[in-house]
Structures are given as C-alpha cells and as structure tokens.
Short mmCIF file of all heavy atoms in Angstrom, two decimals:
data_model
loop_
_atom_site.label_atom_id
_atom_site.label_comp_id
_atom_site.label_asym_id
_atom_site.label_seq_id
_atom_site.Cartn_x
_atom_site.Cartn_y
_atom_site.Cartn_z
N PRO A 1356 89.15 135.02 79.76
CA PRO A 1356 89.92 134.23 78.81
C PRO A 1356 89.85 132.74 79.14
O PRO A 1356 89.80 132.36 80.33
CB PRO A 1356 91.35 134.75 78.97
CG PRO A 1356 91.19 136.11 79.56
CD PRO A 1356 89.98 136.03 80.45
N ASN A 1357 89.83 131.91 78.13
CA ASN A 1357 89.72 130.47 78.34
C ASN A 1357 90.87 129.93 79.18
O ASN A 1357 90.69 128.99 79.98
CB ASN A 1357 89.68 129.74 76.99
CG ASN A 1357 89.34 128.27 77.15
OD1 ASN A 1357 88.30 127.93 77.71
ND2 ASN A 1357 90.21 127.42 76.66
N GLU A 1358 92.06 130.54 79.03
CA GLU A 1358 93.23 130.08 79.78
C GLU A 1358 93.05 130.25 81.28
O GLU A 1358 93.62 129.50 82.08
CB GLU A 1358 94.48 130.84 79.32
CG GLU A 1358 94.96 130.49 77.94
CD GLU A 1358 94.26 131.29 76.84
OE1 GLU A 1358 93.31 132.05 77.19
OE2 GLU A 1358 94.67 131.19 75.67
N ILE A 1359 92.25 131.23 81.69
CA ILE A 1359 91.95 131.43 83.12
C ILE A 1359 91.22 130.21 83.65
O ILE A 1359 91.49 129.74 84.76
CB ILE A 1359 91.08 132.70 83.31
CG1 ILE A 1359 91.88 133.96 82.94
CG2 ILE A 1359 90.53 132.78 84.74
CD1 ILE A 1359 92.97 134.34 83.89
N LYS A 1360 90.30 129.69 82.87
CA LYS A 1360 89.54 128.50 83.26
C LYS A 1360 90.43 127.27 83.30
O LYS A 1360 90.40 126.50 84.26
CB LYS A 1360 88.38 128.27 82.27
CG LYS A 1360 87.40 129.44 82.19
CD LYS A 1360 86.39 129.21 81.07
CE LYS A 1360 85.48 130.43 80.91
NZ LYS A 1360 84.53 130.28 79.78
N VAL A 1361 91.26 127.09 82.26
CA VAL A 1361 92.13 125.92 82.19
C VAL A 1361 93.15 125.91 83.30
O VAL A 1361 93.48 124.86 83.86
CB VAL A 1361 92.83 125.87 80.82
CG1 VAL A 1361 93.79 124.68 80.74
CG2 VAL A 1361 91.81 125.75 79.68
N LEU A 1362 93.64 127.08 83.66
CA LEU A 1362 94.64 127.18 84.74
C LEU A 1362 94.03 126.88 86.09
O LEU A 1362 94.73 126.66 87.07
CB LEU A 1362 95.29 128.58 84.70
CG LEU A 1362 96.56 128.77 85.56
CD1 LEU A 1362 97.68 127.85 85.09
CD2 LEU A 1362 97.03 130.22 85.50
N GLY A 1363 92.70 126.89 86.16
CA GLY A 1363 92.01 126.56 87.41
C GLY A 1363 91.84 127.72 88.36
O GLY A 1363 91.70 127.52 89.59
N ILE A 1364 91.85 128.95 87.83
CA ILE A 1364 91.71 130.12 88.70
C ILE A 1364 90.42 130.91 88.37
O ILE A 1364 90.32 132.08 88.70
CB ILE A 1364 92.93 131.02 88.60
CG1 ILE A 1364 93.18 131.49 87.16
CG2 ILE A 1364 94.16 130.35 89.18
CD1 ILE A 1364 94.26 132.57 87.04
N GLU A 1365 89.47 130.24 87.73
CA GLU A 1365 88.25 130.94 87.35
C GLU A 1365 87.49 131.45 88.56
O GLU A 1365 86.94 132.55 88.54
CB GLU A 1365 87.35 130.04 86.50
CG GLU A 1365 86.11 130.76 85.95
CD GLU A 1365 85.25 129.87 85.09
OE1 GLU A 1365 85.46 128.64 85.06
OE2 GLU A 1365 84.33 130.42 84.45
N ARG A 1366 87.43 130.67 89.62
CA ARG A 1366 86.69 131.07 90.81
C ARG A 1366 87.30 132.33 91.43
O ARG A 1366 86.59 133.28 91.78
CB ARG A 1366 86.66 129.93 91.84
CG ARG A 1366 85.80 130.25 93.07
CD ARG A 1366 85.80 129.10 94.03
NE ARG A 1366 87.12 128.80 94.55
CZ ARG A 1366 87.72 129.48 95.54
NH1 ARG A 1366 87.10 130.50 96.10
NH2 ARG A 1366 88.91 129.15 95.95
N GLU A 1367 88.64 132.37 91.53
CA GLU A 1367 89.30 133.54 92.07
C GLU A 1367 89.14 134.75 91.14
O GLU A 1367 88.97 135.88 91.60
CB GLU A 1367 90.81 133.26 92.26
CG GLU A 1367 91.10 132.22 93.34
CD GLU A 1367 91.22 130.82 92.76
OE1 GLU A 1367 90.54 130.54 91.76
OE2 GLU A 1367 91.99 130.02 93.34
N TYR A 1368 89.14 134.49 89.85
CA TYR A 1368 88.95 135.54 88.86
C TYR A 1368 87.57 136.18 89.01
O TYR A 1368 87.42 137.40 89.03
CB TYR A 1368 89.12 134.94 87.46
CG TYR A 1368 89.15 135.90 86.31
CD1 TYR A 1368 90.34 136.51 85.90
CD2 TYR A 1368 87.98 136.21 85.60
CE1 TYR A 1368 90.37 137.39 84.81
CE2 TYR A 1368 88.00 137.09 84.52
CZ TYR A 1368 89.20 137.66 84.13
OH TYR A 1368 89.22 138.53 83.06
N GLN A 1369 86.56 135.30 89.16
CA GLN A 1369 85.19 135.79 89.37
C GLN A 1369 85.07 136.57 90.67
O GLN A 1369 84.41 137.59 90.74
CB GLN A 1369 84.22 134.61 89.38
CG GLN A 1369 84.02 133.97 88.04
CD GLN A 1369 83.13 132.73 88.11
OE1 GLN A 1369 82.88 132.21 89.19
NE2 GLN A 1369 82.69 132.25 86.96
N GLU A 1370 85.76 136.09 91.71
CA GLU A 1370 85.75 136.79 92.99
C GLU A 1370 86.34 138.18 92.85
O GLU A 1370 85.80 139.16 93.40
CB GLU A 1370 86.56 136.00 94.02
CG GLU A 1370 86.56 136.63 95.41
CD GLU A 1370 87.45 135.87 96.41
OE1 GLU A 1370 88.03 134.83 96.03
OE2 GLU A 1370 87.55 136.33 97.56
N CYS A 1371 87.40 138.30 92.06
CA CYS A 1371 88.01 139.60 91.82
C CYS A 1371 87.04 140.54 91.11
O CYS A 1371 86.86 141.70 91.51
CB CYS A 1371 89.30 139.42 90.99
SG CYS A 1371 90.14 140.95 90.57
N MET A 1372 86.39 140.04 90.06
CA MET A 1372 85.46 140.85 89.28
C MET A 1372 84.24 141.25 90.13
O MET A 1372 83.77 142.39 90.07
CB MET A 1372 85.02 140.12 88.02
CG MET A 1372 86.14 139.83 87.05
SD MET A 1372 86.97 141.35 86.48
CE MET A 1372 88.67 140.72 86.30
N ASN A 1373 83.75 140.30 90.92
CA ASN A 1373 82.59 140.60 91.78
C ASN A 1373 82.93 141.62 92.85
O ASN A 1373 82.11 142.50 93.19
CB ASN A 1373 82.09 139.30 92.44
CG ASN A 1373 81.47 138.35 91.43
OD1 ASN A 1373 81.06 138.77 90.35
ND2 ASN A 1373 81.42 137.07 91.77
N LYS A 1374 84.15 141.52 93.38
CA LYS A 1374 84.59 142.49 94.40
C LYS A 1374 84.65 143.87 93.78
O LYS A 1374 84.25 144.88 94.40
CB LYS A 1374 85.96 142.07 94.93
CG LYS A 1374 86.43 142.86 96.13
CD LYS A 1374 87.72 142.28 96.69
CE LYS A 1374 88.13 142.96 97.97
NZ LYS A 1374 87.19 142.72 99.08
N THR A 1375 85.17 143.94 92.58
CA THR A 1375 85.25 145.22 91.87
C THR A 1375 83.85 145.81 91.66
O THR A 1375 83.63 147.00 91.91
CB THR A 1375 85.92 145.05 90.50
OG1 THR A 1375 87.31 144.75 90.68
CG2 THR A 1375 85.82 146.31 89.65
N LYS A 1376 82.93 144.97 91.20
CA LYS A 1376 81.56 145.47 90.95
C LYS A 1376 80.91 145.98 92.24
O LYS A 1376 80.25 147.05 92.24
CB LYS A 1376 80.69 144.37 90.33
CG LYS A 1376 79.27 144.83 90.02
CD LYS A 1376 78.52 143.88 89.14
CE LYS A 1376 77.10 144.37 88.87
NZ LYS A 1376 77.04 145.74 88.29
N HIS A 1377 81.11 145.25 93.34
CA HIS A 1377 80.55 145.66 94.62
C HIS A 1377 81.09 147.04 95.02
O HIS A 1377 80.33 147.93 95.43
CB HIS A 1377 80.91 144.63 95.68
CG HIS A 1377 80.58 145.05 97.08
ND1 HIS A 1377 79.29 145.07 97.56
CD2 HIS A 1377 81.39 145.48 98.10
CE1 HIS A 1377 79.32 145.49 98.82
NE2 HIS A 1377 80.57 145.76 99.17
N THR A 1378 82.40 147.22 94.86
CA THR A 1378 83.04 148.50 95.22
C THR A 1378 82.59 149.62 94.29
O THR A 1378 82.25 150.73 94.74
CB THR A 1378 84.58 148.34 95.18
OG1 THR A 1378 84.96 147.31 96.08
CG2 THR A 1378 85.27 149.63 95.54
N PHE A 1379 82.59 149.31 93.00
CA PHE A 1379 82.18 150.34 92.03
C PHE A 1379 80.75 150.80 92.26
O PHE A 1379 80.46 152.01 92.23
CB PHE A 1379 82.32 149.78 90.61
CG PHE A 1379 81.80 150.71 89.55
CD1 PHE A 1379 82.53 151.82 89.13
CD2 PHE A 1379 80.53 150.52 89.00
CE1 PHE A 1379 82.02 152.69 88.19
CE2 PHE A 1379 80.02 151.38 88.05
CZ PHE A 1379 80.77 152.47 87.63
N ASP A 1380 79.84 149.87 92.50
CA ASP A 1380 78.43 150.23 92.71
C ASP A 1380 78.26 151.14 93.91
O ASP A 1380 77.35 151.98 93.94
CB ASP A 1380 77.58 148.98 92.84
CG ASP A 1380 77.36 148.27 91.52
OD1 ASP A 1380 77.55 148.91 90.47
OD2 ASP A 1380 77.00 147.06 91.53
N LYS A 1381 79.09 150.97 94.90
CA LYS A 1381 79.02 151.84 96.09
C LYS A 1381 79.59 153.22 95.80
O LYS A 1381 78.98 154.24 96.17
CB LYS A 1381 79.79 151.19 97.26
CG LYS A 1381 79.05 150.05 97.90
CD LYS A 1381 79.64 149.72 99.27
CE LYS A 1381 78.71 148.76 100.04
NZ LYS A 1381 79.17 148.58 101.41
N ILE A 1382 80.73 153.26 95.12
CA ILE A 1382 81.38 154.53 94.85
C ILE A 1382 80.59 155.38 93.84
O ILE A 1382 80.48 156.59 94.01
CB ILE A 1382 82.82 154.30 94.32
CG1 ILE A 1382 83.70 153.68 95.43
CG2 ILE A 1382 83.44 155.59 93.83
CD1 ILE A 1382 85.09 153.30 94.96
N ARG A 1383 80.05 154.74 92.83
CA ARG A 1383 79.45 155.48 91.71
C ARG A 1383 78.27 156.37 92.14
O ARG A 1383 77.97 157.38 91.47
CB ARG A 1383 78.98 154.51 90.61
CG ARG A 1383 77.68 153.81 90.95
CD ARG A 1383 77.28 152.76 89.92
NE ARG A 1383 77.20 153.22 88.55
CZ ARG A 1383 76.78 152.46 87.57
NH1 ARG A 1383 76.42 151.20 87.78
NH2 ARG A 1383 76.72 152.93 86.34
N LYS A 1384 77.59 156.01 93.21
CA LYS A 1384 76.44 156.79 93.64
C LYS A 1384 76.82 158.22 93.98
O LYS A 1384 76.07 159.16 93.73
CB LYS A 1384 75.78 156.10 94.86
CG LYS A 1384 75.13 154.78 94.52
CD LYS A 1384 74.59 154.10 95.77
CE LYS A 1384 74.00 152.74 95.46
NZ LYS A 1384 73.55 152.01 96.68
N LYS A 1385 78.04 158.38 94.55
CA LYS A 1385 78.48 159.73 94.91
C LYS A 1385 79.55 160.24 93.94
O LYS A 1385 79.63 161.44 93.66
CB LYS A 1385 79.02 159.74 96.33
CG LYS A 1385 79.33 161.14 96.81
CD LYS A 1385 79.60 161.20 98.30
CE LYS A 1385 79.80 162.63 98.76
NZ LYS A 1385 80.06 162.71 100.21
N TYR A 1386 80.40 159.31 93.45
CA TYR A 1386 81.52 159.72 92.61
C TYR A 1386 81.53 158.87 91.32
O TYR A 1386 82.36 157.98 91.15
CB TYR A 1386 82.85 159.52 93.34
CG TYR A 1386 82.96 160.26 94.64
CD1 TYR A 1386 83.01 159.57 95.86
CD2 TYR A 1386 83.05 161.65 94.67
CE1 TYR A 1386 83.13 160.24 97.07
CE2 TYR A 1386 83.18 162.33 95.87
CZ TYR A 1386 83.22 161.63 97.06
OH TYR A 1386 83.36 162.31 98.26
N PRO A 1387 80.64 159.17 90.36
CA PRO A 1387 80.57 158.37 89.15
C PRO A 1387 81.84 158.44 88.29
O PRO A 1387 82.25 157.42 87.70
CB PRO A 1387 79.37 158.95 88.39
CG PRO A 1387 79.16 160.32 88.98
CD PRO A 1387 79.59 160.21 90.41
N GLU A 1388 82.49 159.62 88.24
CA GLU A 1388 83.71 159.74 87.46
C GLU A 1388 84.86 159.01 88.13
O GLU A 1388 85.61 158.28 87.50
CB GLU A 1388 84.06 161.23 87.27
CG GLU A 1388 83.05 162.05 86.50
CD GLU A 1388 83.41 162.21 85.04
OE1 GLU A 1388 84.53 161.84 84.64
OE2 GLU A 1388 82.56 162.73 84.29
N GLN A 1389 85.01 159.21 89.43
CA GLN A 1389 86.12 158.59 90.17
C GLN A 1389 85.94 157.06 90.27
O GLN A 1389 86.91 156.32 90.42
CB GLN A 1389 86.22 159.19 91.58
CG GLN A 1389 86.71 160.63 91.61
CD GLN A 1389 85.60 161.63 91.36
OE1 GLN A 1389 84.48 161.26 91.01
NE2 GLN A 1389 85.91 162.91 91.55
N GLY A 1390 84.68 156.60 90.23
CA GLY A 1390 84.45 155.17 90.30
C GLY A 1390 85.12 154.38 89.19
O GLY A 1390 85.43 153.19 89.35
N GLN A 1391 85.42 155.05 88.09
CA GLN A 1391 86.07 154.35 86.95
C GLN A 1391 87.41 153.72 87.34
O GLN A 1391 87.81 152.70 86.79
CB GLN A 1391 86.31 155.33 85.80
CG GLN A 1391 85.05 155.91 85.18
CD GLN A 1391 85.40 156.92 84.11
OE1 GLN A 1391 85.43 156.60 82.92
NE2 GLN A 1391 85.71 158.14 84.51
N TYR A 1392 88.10 154.38 88.27
CA TYR A 1392 89.45 153.95 88.60
C TYR A 1392 89.52 152.49 89.07
O TYR A 1392 90.54 151.81 88.87
CB TYR A 1392 90.05 154.84 89.70
CG TYR A 1392 90.44 156.22 89.25
CD1 TYR A 1392 89.83 157.36 89.79
CD2 TYR A 1392 91.43 156.41 88.31
CE1 TYR A 1392 90.20 158.64 89.40
CE2 TYR A 1392 91.82 157.69 87.89
CZ TYR A 1392 91.19 158.80 88.46
OH TYR A 1392 91.56 160.06 88.06
N VAL A 1393 88.48 152.01 89.72
CA VAL A 1393 88.53 150.69 90.32
C VAL A 1393 88.20 149.58 89.31
O VAL A 1393 88.46 148.39 89.56
CB VAL A 1393 87.59 150.60 91.54
CG1 VAL A 1393 86.12 150.43 91.09
CG2 VAL A 1393 88.00 149.50 92.50
N VAL A 1394 87.64 149.94 88.15
CA VAL A 1394 87.15 148.94 87.20
C VAL A 1394 88.28 148.24 86.48
O VAL A 1394 89.19 148.89 85.96
CB VAL A 1394 86.19 149.59 86.19
CG1 VAL A 1394 85.64 148.56 85.21
CG2 VAL A 1394 85.04 150.29 86.90
N ASN A 1395 88.23 146.93 86.40
CA ASN A 1395 89.27 146.12 85.76
C ASN A 1395 89.21 146.22 84.23
O ASN A 1395 88.16 146.42 83.64
CB ASN A 1395 89.14 144.65 86.15
CG ASN A 1395 89.09 144.46 87.64
OD1 ASN A 1395 88.03 144.41 88.23
ND2 ASN A 1395 90.27 144.35 88.27
N PHE A 1396 90.35 145.99 83.59
CA PHE A 1396 90.43 145.99 82.13
C PHE A 1396 89.50 144.95 81.52
O PHE A 1396 89.11 145.07 80.36
CB PHE A 1396 91.87 145.66 81.67
CG PHE A 1396 92.85 146.78 81.86
CD1 PHE A 1396 92.56 147.92 82.59
CD2 PHE A 1396 94.11 146.69 81.28
CE1 PHE A 1396 93.47 148.94 82.75
CE2 PHE A 1396 95.05 147.70 81.43
CZ PHE A 1396 94.73 148.83 82.15
N ALA A 1397 89.16 143.90 82.24
CA ALA A 1397 88.34 142.81 81.69
C ALA A 1397 86.88 143.22 81.50
O ALA A 1397 86.15 142.57 80.74
CB ALA A 1397 88.40 141.59 82.60
N TYR A 1398 86.45 144.28 82.17
CA TYR A 1398 85.06 144.69 82.07
C TYR A 1398 84.75 145.26 80.70
O TYR A 1398 85.57 145.99 80.12
CB TYR A 1398 84.69 145.68 83.17
CG TYR A 1398 84.18 145.01 84.41
CD1 TYR A 1398 85.02 144.75 85.48
CD2 TYR A 1398 82.87 144.54 84.47
CE1 TYR A 1398 84.56 144.08 86.62
CE2 TYR A 1398 82.40 143.88 85.60
CZ TYR A 1398 83.23 143.65 86.66
OH TYR A 1398 82.78 142.97 87.77
#
C-alpha cells in the first residue's frame, strides 16, 4: 500500500515479506500444504 511507503516503513515491510518468502521456500519442499500458514495476506 502507498501509505506504507509514506509512513516510512517500506524497508521493514519488504524485510517482512522477504523473510516470509525465505521461510516458505524452505518449508514448501517437504510440506507444501502446511507452508501456506506462513504466507502474509499481502502476497
């Protein structure tokens, strides 16, 4: 959302999304269904 950028938290927001992707990519190899739990609403 644009307000995330204006509030000045875009870098932290990206860090959160990147952390999620890193975790999901690791989990999905063995547990593709369970991996869904970690994915953020923003994806």
